[in-house]
């Protein structure tokens, strides 16, 4: 299987993952006993020892404190693991279990991408638990949480709700307390699985109470292909550091960006007056501040994860659906998702919190729309708001859309940040645009 996977990867540079290639495996020879998505969540509950009832969560968390003794004092204490040790396949049986479709169905008779985000998040956590498995006990002393969705790239326009879906993935890079996970999703057509998307997540290991970092098993590389995957993980880490350093929250815009912002500002001055205060919209444009949509959610126990906080996949689903609605409302037509990138999980969301989402179009080019969704949390009874996530979505519509024009300096920075994300996505997709419903 591994040799076939290496040959497949050599022909498909955009799909850097080990294991059997999705295009080479048929439905009939699918490995028996493959997990389904409900099985993934059941397995995670067993690994962590989560309470089945919310009323028991305090007792269960007290029991997890006893697992501190199982944590390694250093990475050297842990046996190295191979990439294929964490390789996992999961089936989402939409075709063979029609009753499951309702949960995943949209009004356009395609699969809800927000549900796919939830499934990817669960799978990424399970893959990391497989990598860090401790044979001496059933419950893991680690708390594995999603730190970052680095990138999700799509290569198919429609995800059918009537065909089975397969997820595959494994750990591709390891630091001392963090892991990069590569995942693919493919869908069954005519007895063959075809690629739909690939995703890169970064997960971190924490102690049993999720209060501090924990060392994880190092990764041993067994082939040049695995060395290339690991090297890419190192490069991804370097890119993230460079991006953080060059963030507009820390550094001034480049000379080219400053000129672009100034020219946009000049284009909005009323030629009938000699004033910086009199602003008019250029033709075929919209003020950025007029593209906003907002939502509010009360965080109930139903949406809790295995650590009794709000499930990260739920946050991504809600953010995506608001972002999609923002693009749809702005364009006046149905948007298609091109890419998701750079979702940083800055702090956990507690049960009972008020969760605020604010979405707006921050950049457009022809028929592409870049949407930014900002989420923040507030504890009832307080007025303090703290940022939890910033989400970036790139959409495509069938007709050209108006330009968005920033009115304030703050909006100008959001515009430039959106432009950077859009250009980064388009650079990676230079070989062709991938879209999905």
């Amino acid at each position: 299987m591994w040799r076939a996977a290496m040959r497949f990867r050599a022909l498909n540079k955009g799909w850097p993952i080990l294991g059997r290639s999705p295009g080479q495996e048929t439905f009939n020879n699918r490995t028996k006993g493959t997990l389904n998505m409900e099985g993934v969540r059941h397995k995670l509950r067993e690994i962590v020892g989560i309470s089945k009832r919310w009323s028991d969560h305090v007792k269960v968390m007290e029991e997890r404190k006893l697992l501190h003794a199982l944590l390694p004092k250093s990475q050297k204490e842990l046996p190295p693991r191979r990439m294929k040790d964490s390789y996992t396949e999961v089936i989402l049986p939409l075709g063979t279990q029609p009753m499951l479709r309702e949960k995943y169905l949209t009004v356009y008779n395609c699969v809800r991408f927000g549900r796919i985000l939830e499934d990817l998040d669960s799978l990424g956590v399970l893959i990391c638990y497989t990598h860090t498995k401790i044979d001496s006990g059933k419950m893991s002393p680690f708390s594995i949480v999603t730190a970052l969705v680095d990138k999700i790239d799509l290569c198919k326009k429609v995800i059918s709700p009537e065909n089975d879906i397969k997820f595959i993935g494994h750990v591709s890079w390891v630091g001392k307390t963090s892991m990069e996970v590569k995942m693919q999703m493919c869908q069954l057509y005519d007895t063959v699985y075809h690629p739909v998307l690939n995703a890169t997540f970064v997960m971190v290991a924490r102690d049993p109470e999720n209060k501090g970092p924990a060392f994880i098993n190092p990764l041993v590389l067994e082939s040049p292909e695995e060395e290339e995957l690991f090297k890419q993980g190192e490069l991804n880490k370097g890119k993230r550091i460079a991006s953080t350093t060059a963030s507009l929250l820390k550094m001034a815009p480049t000379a080219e960006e400053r000129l672009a912002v100034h020219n946009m500002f000049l284009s909005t001055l009323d030629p009938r007056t000699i004033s910086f205060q009199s602003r008019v919209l250029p033709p075929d444009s919209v003020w950025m501040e007029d593209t906003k949509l907002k939502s509010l959610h009360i965080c109930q126990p139903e949406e809790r994860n295995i650590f009794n906080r709000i499930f990260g996949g739920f946050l991504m689903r809600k953010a995506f659906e608001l972002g999609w609605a923002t693009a749809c409302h702005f364009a006046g037509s149905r948007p298609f998702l091109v890419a998701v990138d750079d979702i940083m999980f800055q702090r956990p969301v507690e049960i009972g919190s008020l969760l605020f989402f604010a979405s707006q179009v921050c950049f457009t080019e022809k028929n592409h729309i870049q949407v930014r969704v900002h989420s923040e949390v507030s504890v009832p009874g307080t007025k303090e708001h703290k940022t939890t996530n910033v989400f970036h979505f790139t959409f495509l519509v069938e007709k050209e859309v108006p330009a968005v024009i920033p009115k304030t300096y703050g909006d100008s920075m959001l515009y430039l940040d959106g432009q950077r994300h859009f250009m980064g996505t388009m650079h990676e997709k230079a070989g062709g645009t991938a879209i999905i419903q």
Side-chain angles (χ1 to χ4, degrees):
M1 180 176 81
W2 293 93
R3 290 180 181 177
M6 294 303 101
R7 289 196 298 270
F8 171 77
R9 184 177 180 276
L11 296 172
N12 298 270
K13 294 297 184 180
W15 294 86
I17 194 167
L18 302 176
R20 186 183 289 110
S21 70
Q24 292 174 332
E25 185 181 21
T26 65
F27 176 77
N28 292 327
N29 69 10
R30 188 177 68 206
T31 304
K32 292 184 179 180
T34 301
L35 276 175
N36 59 29
M37 194 52 65
E38 184 56 37
V40 168
R41 296 187 172 102
H42 177 74
K43 200 166 185 178
L44 286 173
R45 288 192 289 267
E46 285 188 339
I47 290 171
V48 178
I50 186 175
S51 58
K52 294 182 179 180
R53 296 180 300 179
W54 168 246
S55 58
D56 296 334
H57 75 281
V58 174
K59 177 184 176 182
V60 171
M61 293 309 293
E62 285 296 319
E63 292 174 352
R64 280 193 60 80
K65 290 181 181 180
L66 302 176
L67 298 174
H68 274 278
L70 298 178
L71 286 178
K73 300 296 187 296
S74 71
Q75 195 174 40
K76 294 180 180 180
E77 296 180 20
L78 296 167
R81 296 278 159 78
R82 302 168 296 178
M83 287 191 184
K84 62 183 178 182
D85 289 336
S86 62
Y87 179 81
T88 305
E89 295 186 0
V90 176
I91 294 295
L92 181 61
L94 298 180
T96 51
Q97 295 184 18
M99 294 298 292
L100 185 62
R101 293 176 194 164
E102 288 294 315
K103 178 181 177 181
Y104 286 83
L105 194 63
T106 75
V107 68
Y108 297 107
N109 195 37
C110 63
V111 170
R112 293 173 63 184
F113 188 73
R115 293 295 188 193
I116 299 302
L117 289 173
E118 292 181 326
D119 292 344
L120 287 170
D121 193 48
S122 294
L123 176 59
V125 173
L126 180 61
I127 288 170
C128 290
Y129 271 120
T130 305
H131 176 82
T132 59
K133 182 179 179 182
I134 294 180
D135 297 327
S136 60
K138 186 176 181 180
M139 287 177 58
S140 172
F142 297 104
S143 298
I144 305 293
V145 296
T146 307
L148 173 73
V149 177
D150 189 60
K151 196 75 176 177
I152 300 176
D153 284 317
L154 304 114
C155 66
K156 194 170 180 59
K157 183 176 182 179
V158 176
I159 304 177
S160 170
E162 299 179 356
N163 301 77
D164 282 3
I165 287 172
K166 174 182 281 188
F167 298 89
I168 59 177
H170 64 86
V171 171
S172 57
W173 175 89
V174 167
K176 290 185 178 181
T177 63
S178 61
M179 295 161 276
E180 182 182 88
V181 178
K182 297 282 189 186
M183 292 176 283
Q184 287 180 13
M185 173 180 146
C186 34
Q187 187 157 38
L188 184 68
Y189 290 98
D190 298 326
T191 74
V192 176
Y193 281 98
H194 297 271
V196 174
L197 65 81
N198 71 333
T200 303
F201 281 44
V202 177
M203 324 296 282
V204 295
R206 310 277 290 173
D207 65 30
E209 300 176 79
N210 195 13
K211 292 183 177 179
F215 293 107
I216 55 174
N217 304 71
L219 196 61
V220 59
L221 309 177
E222 298 184 308
S223 68
E225 290 80 8
E226 292 186 8
E227 291 175 2
E228 183 180 341
L229 275 177
F230 191 87
K231 181 180 178 181
Q232 184 61 52
E234 290 283 357
L235 290 173
N236 291 341
K237 179 183 177 181
K239 289 179 182 178
R240 289 191 290 270
I241 293 173
S243 178
T244 300
T245 302
S247 168
L248 292 168
L249 293 171
K250 297 181 179 180
M251 298 285 290
T254 65
E256 183 180 359
E257 290 172 333
R258 292 196 297 270
L259 180 61
V261 167
H262 187 67
N263 286 337
M264 274 194 297
F265 172 74
L266 293 178
S267 72
T268 66
L269 295 182
D270 190 341
R272 296 171 299 177
T273 67
I274 307 176
S275 171
F276 291 128
Q277 304 302 319
S278 183
R279 309 281 296 278
V280 294
L281 270 173
D284 299 319
S285 59
V286 177
W287 293 119
M288 272 182 63
E289 63 183 21
D290 294 332
T291 68
K292 294 180 181 179
L293 289 180
K294 296 183 178 182
S295 66
L296 167 65
H297 299 275
I298 303 173
C299 299
Q300 306 288 6
E302 180 185 5
E303 285 98 30
R304 73 187 190 275
N305 63 12
I306 52 179
F307 304 112
N308 291 301
R309 290 187 167 106
I310 293 299
F311 174 41
F314 171 81
L315 299 176
M316 289 193 284
R317 174 166 65 87
K318 289 299 183 181
F320 167 75
E321 290 175 350
L322 181 62
W324 184 93
T326 302
C328 182
H329 185 261
F330 173 78
S333 62
R334 179 185 179 184
F336 299 86
L337 182 66
V338 174
V340 182
D341 75 316
D342 197 24
I343 300 176
M344 180 74 74
F345 288 79
Q346 299 185 25
R347 57 172 42 85
V349 179
E350 302 291 344
I351 305 298
S353 301
L354 301 179
L355 185 61
F356 299 83
F357 288 98
S359 175
Q360 74 179 115
V361 177
C362 55
F363 180 78
T364 62
E365 183 171 291
K366 296 181 179 179
N367 58 341
H368 285 90
I369 304 170
Q370 188 71 30
V371 176
R372 179 183 189 270
V373 182
H374 177 269
S375 66
E376 58 185 25
V377 68
S378 174
V379 177
T382 70
K383 294 184 178 181
E384 184 179 14
H385 288 226
K386 294 182 179 179
T387 297
T388 61
N389 303 82
V390 178
F391 306 83
H392 302 275
F393 303 106
T394 306
F395 293 99
L396 178 73
V397 293
E398 294 180 351
K399 61 181 181 180
E400 288 197 15
V401 295
V404 288
I405 305 294
K407 185 179 286 187
T408 66
Y409 186 80
D411 279 351
S412 296
M413 296 304 99
L414 291 178
Y415 178 92
L416 293 177
D417 186 59
Q419 184 182 51
R420 289 181 180 184
H421 282 281
F422 174 76
M423 297 304 292
T425 294
M426 292 299 105
H427 176 74
E428 293 184 8
K429 291 182 175 293
T433 300
I435 56 177
I436 195 165
Q437 293 176 329

